[in-house]
């Protein structure tokens, strides 16, 4: 058995000094965190006062494809082959410049020979169709310059969501059609429900073979806690004017009359949805597809819900051969708070993804 440790005055003093230094470090870290939080909060408030302004970002896709091609050439071709290719490209470029100069002599001829422009937009939808905030700005920018000789390609991905939100998003696409600018919509993954409400507006609707298409239906769902409140003798009261100002709620008693009214509203919205799809894709048999079902791209084509099976990448690369293709994005300025929040969300998502995809000993076939 060991003897108890005896502390001298020097040891006790040394311990107190080390402990004091430790406390000083802790206090310093806490103060630093408080200061950072204060700066983030004040900065966020200032940016809120300044408004949610943003800017249009334009990227020429042709240049990106050329960079990919050039990188592959340098790795694969020898010097003589590269030299021959460069010679052919210079010759073609000179011929194009000469053709443009001759066309400039006549305005009408210049317009007919002007190179086509293609504008690429991206819409990744959620339940609230938040991406419409950027979409409306991007369309406004394009309409200020685009002509009937140009084309708009929308890469669309959405499982659907709120009726009014996707109604607004669809109305934004109508602005393009009203200007007589050809609209092509490409679906690589999913365009269902509100997503298909947007997709059916395309002059040309393209889908990947396994993209999910359809879900032409309307849904209302909500949990009801009335019986729980009643069990614990908790009163819930709504005072309203108008017989149907409130029908189904989370806490009120569900009556047959209220349920029938909501059912009637859902059927009315479904009829409007079906008429919308039928108006812009008259070739389809609406009663056969407006069942709420979904189909993969190849099945959707058989039902005339899409025009062609192809990925957006394939279509855009083909467009780059004869046109100048520009990706247009409207980016809102984000506050420090939003950037920090996004970083946390991405970090949590990555951790969850790693956990979910962690290999185990189970065997799947």
């Amino acid at each position: 058995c060991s003897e108890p440790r005896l502390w001298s005055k020097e040891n006790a003093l040394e311990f107190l000094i080390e402990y004091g230094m430790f406390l000083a470090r802790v206090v310093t870290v806490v103060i630093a965190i408080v200061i950072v939080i204060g700066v983030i909060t004040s900065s966020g408030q200032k940016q809120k006062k300044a408004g949610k302004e943003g800017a249009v970002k334009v990227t020429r896709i042709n240049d990106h494809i050329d960079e990919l091609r050039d990188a592959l050439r340098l790795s694969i071709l020898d010097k003589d082959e590269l030299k021959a290719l460069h010679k052919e490209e210079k010759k073609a470029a000179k011929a194009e410049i000469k053709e443009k100069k001759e066309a400039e002599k006549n305005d009408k001829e210049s317009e007919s020979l002007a190179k086509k422009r293609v504008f690429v937009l991206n819409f990744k939808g959620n339940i609230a169709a938040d991406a419409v905030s950027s979409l409306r700005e991007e369309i406004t920018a394009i309409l200020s310059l685009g002509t009937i000789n140009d084309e708009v390609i929308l890469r669309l991905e959405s499982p659907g969501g709120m009726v009014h939100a996707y109604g607004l998003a669809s109305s934004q696409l109508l602005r393009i059609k009203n200007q007589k600018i050809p609209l092509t919509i490409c679906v690589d993954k999913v365009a269902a429900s509100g997503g298909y409400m947007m997709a059916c507006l395309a002059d040309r609707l393209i889908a990947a073979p396994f993209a999910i298409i359809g879900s032409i239906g309307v849904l209302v769902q909500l949990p009801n806690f009335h019986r729980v409140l009643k069990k614990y003798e908790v009163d819930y009261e709504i005072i309203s004017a108008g017989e149907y100002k409130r029908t189904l709620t989370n806490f009120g008693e569900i009556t047959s009359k209220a349920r029938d009214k909501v059912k009637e509203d859902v059927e009315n919205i479904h009829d409007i949805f079906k008429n919308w799809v039928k108006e812009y894709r008259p070739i389809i048999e609406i009663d056969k597809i407006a069942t709420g079902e979904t189909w993969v791209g190849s099945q959707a084509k058989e039902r005339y819900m899409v025009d062609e099976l192809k990925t957006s990448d394939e279509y855009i690369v083909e467009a780059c051969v004869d046109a100048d293709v520009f990706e247009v994005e409207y980016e809102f300025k984000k506050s420090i708070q939003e950037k920090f929040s996004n970083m946390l969300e991405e970090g949590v998502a990555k951790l969850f993804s790693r956990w979910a995809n962690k290999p185990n000993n189970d065997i799947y076939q």
Side-chain angles (χ1 to χ4, degrees), residues 112-126:
S112 62
L113 293 176
K115 197 169 185 180
K116 178 182 176 181
R117 293 171 301 191
V118 176
F119 303 99
V120 179
L121 305 178
N122 298 289
F123 186 94
K124 189 171 183 180
N126 56 11

Side-chain angles (χ1 to χ4, degrees), residues 63-87:
D63 295 337
H64 176 64
I65 294 174
D66 290 343
E67 288 172 2
L68 294 175
R69 179 201 60 196
D70 292 341
L72 195 61
R73 281 179 176 179
L74 288 171
S75 300
I76 295 176
L77 302 180
D78 58 33
K79 291 182 179 180
D80 293 335
E81 289 174 319
L82 283 171
K83 188 175 180 180
L85 276 173
H86 290 156
K87 188 175 180 180

Side-chain angles (χ1 to χ4, degrees), residues 184-203:
T184 301
I185 295 180
C186 298
V187 182
D188 289 326
K189 293 183 179 180
V190 58
S193 194
Y196 192 74
M197 180 189 291
M198 296 175 65
C200 70
L201 290 169
D203 297 305

Side-chain angles (χ1 to χ4, degrees), residues 15 35 69 88-89 107-108 111 124 135-136 192 202 219 245 271 321 339 350-351 364:
F15 170 77
I35 291 173
R69 179 201 60 196
E88 289 178 11
E89 288 172 354
D107 291 338
K108 292 183 180 179
E111 289 178 8
K124 189 171 183 180
L135 181 67
R136 67 201 309 176
L219 170 69
K245 182 63 177 177
D271 288 338
V321 176
K339 290 178 180 178
K350 286 180 180 179
L351 286 173
Y364 297 90

Side-chain angles (χ1 to χ4, degrees), residues 174-190:
L174 279 177
R175 295 171 60 197
I176 299 172
K177 295 179 70 69
N178 292 339
Q179 290 289 335
K180 309 299 182 184
I181 299 175
L183 173 63
T184 301
I185 295 180
C186 298
V187 182
D188 289 326
K189 293 183 179 180
V190 58

Side-chain angles (χ1 to χ4, degrees), residues 238-255:
I238 296 178
I239 299 174
S240 62
E243 184 178 3
Y244 295 112
K245 182 63 177 177
R246 283 290 180 270
T247 49
L248 302 185
T249 66
N250 293 105
F251 301 104
E253 183 179 3
I254 296 178
T255 64

Side-chain angles (χ1 to χ4, degrees), residues 114-312:
K115 197 169 185 180
K116 178 182 176 181
R117 293 171 301 191
V118 176
F119 303 99
V120 179
L121 305 178
N122 298 289
F123 186 94
K124 189 171 183 180
N126 56 11
I127 291 176
D130 291 326
V132 73
S133 300
S134 296
L135 181 67
R136 67 201 309 176
E137 303 290 350
E138 292 159 359
I139 291 175
T140 298
I142 290 171
L143 295 184
S144 68
L145 182 66
T147 69
I148 58 174
N149 298 319
D150 299 321
E151 180 184 1
V152 175
I153 299 175
L154 175 67
R155 287 189 287 206
L156 173 64
E157 179 184 340
S158 174
M162 299 177 183
V163 173
H164 63 280
Y166 278 89
L168 176 58
S170 300
S171 298
Q172 296 300 323
L173 297 182
L174 279 177
R175 295 171 60 197
I176 299 172
K177 295 179 70 69
N178 292 339
Q179 290 289 335
K180 309 299 182 184
I181 299 175
L183 173 63
T184 301
I185 295 180
C186 298
V187 182
D188 289 326
K189 293 183 179 180
V190 58
S193 194
Y196 192 74
M197 180 189 291
M198 296 175 65
C200 70
L201 290 169
D203 297 305
R204 187 179 185 184
L205 179 51
I206 298 171
F210 288 93
I212 302 299
I213 305 294
S215 189
I216 302 173
V218 183
L219 170 69
V220 172
Q221 60 181 1
L222 76 164
N224 183 267
F225 301 96
H226 174 71
R227 285 184 291 179
V228 176
L229 298 181
K230 187 176 181 180
K231 178 180 178 181
Y232 292 98
E233 298 183 345
V234 177
D235 293 329
Y236 176 75
E237 187 172 347
I238 296 178
I239 299 174
S240 62
E243 184 178 3
Y244 295 112
K245 182 63 177 177
R246 283 290 180 270
T247 49
L248 302 185
T249 66
N250 293 105
F251 301 104
E253 183 179 3
I254 296 178
T255 64
S256 298
K257 191 174 184 180
R259 186 184 290 108
D260 291 342
K261 176 57 180 172
V262 173
K263 175 67 175 175
E264 180 186 341
D265 292 342
V266 167
E267 293 290 350
N268 287 336
I269 294 172
H270 190 214
D271 288 338
I272 294 170
F273 191 179
K274 290 195 294 183
N275 292 336
W276 175 274
V277 175
K278 183 64 177 177
E279 179 181 356
Y280 293 104
R281 289 198 69 85
I283 193 173
I284 64 175
E285 296 183 57
I286 190 64
D287 291 329
K288 289 187 177 181
I289 65 167
T291 58
E293 296 174 85
T294 59
W295 297 272
V296 297
S298 55
Q299 295 173 316
K301 188 174 184 298
E302 294 172 358
R303 292 164 173 78
Y304 305 104
M305 298 174 71
V306 301
D307 301 309
E308 189 176 351
L309 297 180
K310 188 180 290 185
T311 65
S312 63

